[in-house]
Amino acid sequence: AQSVSQHNHHVILSEAASLELGCNYSYGGTVNLFWYVQYPGQHLQLLLKYFSGDPLVKGIKGFEAEFIKSKFSFNLRKPSVQWSDTAEYFCAVNAHRNAGNMLTFGGGTRLMVKP
Amino acid sequence: DSGVTQTPKHLITATGQRVTLRCSPRSGDLSVYWYQQSLDQGLQFLIQYYNGEERAKGNILERFSAQQFPDLHSELNLSSLELGDSALYFCASSVGDRERYEQYFGPGTRLTVT
């Protein structure tokens, strides 16, 4: 079975600091990778996704992620965070299977950005 | 706004009761998914329907059941509720049923079991 690990549970940064959130998955086959964000009291929104091609993926709001297949990692980065980036971030994977489209999520990382 | 709607937003009920959560997918989407978000278990996939048929099943308890109707809306039925069922239940939808289709999430239904 596939699993996803997010090693940072809570991150506190000051505005303008750089961000990197770790995500590792375990699955030996082909996967699609996602980062979702959940702002306080809101639903999950897709930040970016990787299906194939260039392993450096750019998403919305200045976020990017790099897929490193050899490390089974898909880390999220942003060069300069803003107070409005305060949210919970989820990494998710779906494996190419015979049927279905289930997402497996990591435990989430709560980011707090201090103004 | 993702275009996925869920009702009700909040639900408070007692142990042993049964509730029904409703989801309407985005226009044109044929797949509906249910996820549970709790403090203990995090965000977990429960079940997927595609055009009325069950497509994939995750960690869904036997006390829980779901269905997708001909108009493509879906309902998640939770019965014999326990305190541990208190959670946020998300519905998501996508155009197709396979991994290349992006899922769009609804605002969720917060269930509190007392």
Side-chain angles (χ1 to χ4, degrees):
Chain A
Q2 62 200 38
S3 65
V4 181
S5 297
Q6 292 180 242
H7 306 295
N8 313 103
H9 298 293
H10 292 89
V11 173
I12 301 174
L13 295 173
S14 298
E15 274 194 316
S18 64
L19 170 72
E20 181 159 3
L21 301 182
C23 172
N24 287 91
Y25 67 93
S26 64
Y27 183 74
T30 305
V31 294
N32 295 332
L33 298 153
F34 306 82
W35 276 98
Y36 282 86
V37 61
Q38 187 176 27
Y39 297 103
Q42 294 191 26
H43 62 281
L44 288 161
Q45 299 174 42
L46 184 66
L47 273 179
L48 48 78
K49 62 189 178 191
Y50 173 80
F51 281 13
S52 64
D54 188 345
L56 186 59
V57 180
K58 294 195 184 299
I60 61 171
K61 306 186 182 189
F63 286 91
E64 65 178 32
E66 185 176 12
F67 171 50
I68 303 179
K69 190 174 181 179
S70 60
K71 295 185 178 180
F72 297 90
S73 71
F74 189 57
N75 292 353
L76 181 71
R77 299 195 291 249
K78 186 171 184 178
S80 175
V81 294
Q82 301 172 310
W83 176 79
S84 57
D85 293 323
T86 294
E88 189 160 14
Y89 293 80
F90 293 92
C91 180
V93 167
N94 65 6
H96 291 209
R97 299 170 179 273
N98 294 327
N101 184 14
M102 59 174 280
L103 287 173
T104 300
F105 285 88
T109 298
R110 288 188 184 272
L111 171 66
M112 178 183 293
V113 180
K114 298 185 294 184
Chain B
D1 184 0
S2 66
V4 179
T5 60
Q6 290 187 248
T7 56
K9 289 185 73 172
H10 301 277
L11 199 49
I12 302 174
T13 189
T15 54
Q17 295 298 305
R18 172 190 168 94
V19 297
T20 298
L21 313 183
R22 183 188 168 101
C23 168
S24 292
R26 294 186 321 155
S27 177
D29 284 359
L30 298 178
S31 256
V32 170
Y33 311 79
W34 287 97
Y35 292 86
Q36 179 194 58
Q37 186 180 32
S38 66
L39 290 175
D40 303 348
Q41 305 290 331
L43 197 54
Q44 287 200 94
F45 168 77
L46 295 178
I47 197 162
Q48 175 194 0
Y49 278 83
Y50 175 73
N51 207 19
E53 294 188 2
E54 184 182 301
R55 188 63 96 214
K57 211 166 186 176
N59 297 324
I60 187 166
L61 299 172
E62 284 193 15
R63 300 183 286 109
F64 296 0
S65 65
Q67 55 183 326
Q68 186 180 26
F69 294 87
D71 68 352
L72 301 176
H73 91 272
S74 177
E75 293 181 356
L76 179 67
N77 299 297
L78 314 177
S79 61
S80 303
L81 285 167
E82 302 175 359
L83 295 177
D85 298 326
S86 295
L88 194 51
Y89 291 84
F90 286 109
C91 170
S93 73
S94 66
V95 170
D97 65 334
R98 297 303 305 274
E99 62 282 339
R100 60 182 172 273
Y101 297 105
E102 184 177 321
Q103 296 181 32
Y104 294 85
F105 283 76
T109 293
R110 183 169 294 282
L111 173 67
T112 302
V113 182
T114 61

